[in-house]
Amino acid sequence: MKKQNKKQSQNLLDLVPRQSKKYRFEVDGEGKVTVFVENKGFFNLVAQKLFKKPRFTQIHLEEFGSFIWQKIDGKRTVKEIADLLYENFGEKAEPLYPRISVYVKTLVNYGFVEFLAYE
């Protein structure tokens, strides 16, 4: 019988996400979040110089994403954030847990968010 990896047995809803310090973000007057990703490396530098490509790529989060991003504070669990999302948007947030699970996993995959060490 295989030992189950501790990481595999974790419930995503119990994890505490925090925003990566690598990325700067701004919130506009309507509460929409823009995350700035610096385009680094030799080829990006060449593209910036020759083709006037921007140094930073702007990622504009939509309504739900902006709300979730602003609730990720390194203290709240994913479930607590999901509950706040439902309180704010009601039925529009459904299907709540599948939606927030995919969204948070996407943020983690892109390196925008990381989970605090699981105790």
Side-chain angles (χ1 to χ4, degrees), residues 11-96:
N11 183 338
L12 177 71
L13 296 175
D14 295 332
L15 299 178
V16 177
R18 73 170 170 207
Q19 299 164 351
S20 172
K21 297 183 188 300
K22 295 179 193 173
Y23 303 101
R24 181 174 67 85
F25 72 93
E26 293 177 356
V27 181
D28 70 15
E30 297 175 2
K32 298 284 176 70
V33 172
T34 301
V35 180
F36 296 89
V37 178
E38 186 173 9
N39 298 311
K40 299 178 182 180
F42 175 74
F43 292 109
N44 282 313
L45 181 63
V46 170
Q48 291 165 22
K49 299 291 184 193
L50 294 178
F51 305 112
K52 306 288 189 228
K53 295 292 181 185
R55 182 171 171 206
F56 290 91
T57 298
Q58 297 181 20
I59 314 267
H60 301 281
L61 303 183
E62 42 69 53
E63 183 179 33
F64 291 134
S66 291
F67 183 87
I68 292 167
W69 180 268
Q70 293 178 74
K71 300 304 178 209
I72 294 175
D73 60 1
K75 296 176 185 158
R76 292 184 182 100
T77 65
V78 173
K79 182 178 184 327
E80 290 169 331
I81 295 168
D83 292 343
L84 292 171
L85 185 68
Y86 188 81
E87 283 176 26
N88 195 66
F89 293 100
E91 292 295 318
K92 276 179 57 177
E94 292 294 347
L96 182 62

Side-chain angles (χ1 to χ4, degrees), residues 13 93-104:
L13 296 175
E94 292 294 347
L96 182 62
Y97 295 126
R99 172 178 270 170
I100 198 163
S101 294
V102 168
Y103 196 80
V104 170

